[in-house]
Amino acid sequence: MSETSAPFWDATRDRRLVIQWCTACDAPVWFPRDVCLGCLGDALEWRAASGRGEVYAFTVENKPAMPTPFGDEPYVVALVELAEGPRLMTNVVGCPPQSVTVGMPVQVTWEELSDGRNLPLFEPA
Ligand SMILES: [Zn+2]
C-alpha cells in the first residue's frame, strides 16, 4: 500500500468508497496518484463516490490461477465504470456469473479483510 492510496484504504475501514478528484480539471483521478494526468497539477482531493456504476467489460474465470476468497467456483473479473467515470478492476459477486452482462447496473459491496480494511466488490444494483 502506497502513501498515495492510503486515504482510499482508510475509507474502506468505514466501508466508504472514495476517489481522487483534480480540482483544477474538475475530473476524477483513478488510480490514486500524486499528480493529475490531465494537467500534471497536484490539486487533488478525495471525494465520496456513489458506489454505483455499470459493468464495462468482464470475464468469467473458471479455474483460479491463485487461491482466492471465492473458492473453486467460477467468478467474475470485471471492469466496472463508476457513475463518476473511473473504471475499477474488481469482482462482481452476488449473482450467477453467467447472468453478468455488459452494461449491467452494479453497486459496491464489501469483502472484509483480516486487518480491518474492506475490499470493494460489486453486486447487481
Ligand atoms: Zn487536472
Side-chain angles (χ1 to χ4, degrees), residues 58-88:
F58 72 96
T59 59
V60 177
E61 300 287 336
N62 288 302
K63 296 195 173 174
M66 289 182 281
T68 74
F70 312 107
D72 295 328
E73 300 302 312
Y75 65 99
V76 178
V77 177
L79 200 54
V80 165
E81 184 170 285
L82 295 178
E84 290 80 9
R87 292 174 189 154
L88 279 64

Side-chain angles (χ1 to χ4, degrees), residues 24-80:
C25 298
D26 193 27
V29 175
W30 183 261
F31 202 82
R33 309 173 192 281
D34 292 324
V35 296
C36 167
L37 291 184
C39 67
L40 300 182
D42 61 0
L44 302 176
E45 65 179 27
W46 290 90
R47 294 188 190 174
S50 64
R52 290 185 168 272
E54 62 177 48
V55 175
Y56 180 79
F58 72 96
T59 59
V60 177
E61 300 287 336
N62 288 302
K63 296 195 173 174
M66 289 182 281
T68 74
F70 312 107
D72 295 328
E73 300 302 312
Y75 65 99
V76 178
V77 177
L79 200 54
V80 165

Side-chain angles (χ1 to χ4, degrees), residues 1 3 5 44 72 85 87 92 108 111 113 117 119:
M1 177 173 90
E3 198 175 311
S5 64
L44 302 176
D72 295 328
R87 292 174 189 154
V92 175
V108 73
E111 173 100 9
L113 300 176
R117 296 181 297 160
L119 187 65

